[in-house]
Amino acid sequence: MSFVSITTWRITGETESLAHVKDLMVAKYFPGLLALGAKHSMLVDAELDRFAIVTVYPSRQVRDDAITHISALRTEGAEEFGAELMDAYGGEMLAATDL
């Protein structure tokens, strides 16, 4: 069963923007998450100064095996994004539609 991670962020840098975050995600962080075993990852505009990153792993075990590296990516990303991590959630995917 797939495992989903959801992190919510708030942009804190006065000159930072969601476009900047998007560029970093596409160039660096999406490839990094895929290299750690993720099947899919998405950047979601949560309006105002907030965004979410939703990542799907093939299983909890894959995510757990990579958690040290994922934590390092989050720390590095916070600096580069000019944002703070607000919350991190995770759980088994119970149902989904095909996109």
Side-chain angles (χ1 to χ4, degrees):
M1 177 169 296
S2 296
F3 185 86
V4 179
S5 168
I6 303 166
T7 55
T8 57
W9 301 76
R10 183 175 63 86
I11 294 175
T12 57
E14 291 182 22
T15 60
E16 301 301 336
S17 68
L18 196 53
H20 172 71
V21 173
K22 177 186 168 201
D23 291 344
L24 285 170
M25 288 300 297
V26 170
K28 181 176 183 179
Y29 292 98
F30 284 153
L33 291 167
L34 295 175
L36 292 172
K39 294 191 314 186
H40 187 72
S41 192
M42 300 161 276
L43 173 65
V44 180
D45 180 354
E47 298 185 354
L48 302 172
D49 59 352
R50 301 176 195 283
F51 61 93
I53 298 171
V54 180
T55 305
V56 180
Y57 296 90
S59 66
R60 179 185 293 269
Q61 186 64 50
V62 170
R63 194 289 311 257
D64 287 352
D65 289 347
I67 195 67
T68 300
H69 298 292
I70 294 166
S71 294
L73 282 177
R74 288 176 180 166
T75 300
E76 188 177 325
E79 247 181 64
E80 286 193 294
F81 297 156
E84 68 176 332
L85 177 63
M86 296 172 53
D87 285 304
Y89 306 95
E92 302 290 337
M93 185 183 306
L94 300 177
T97 62
D98 290 336
L99 298 177

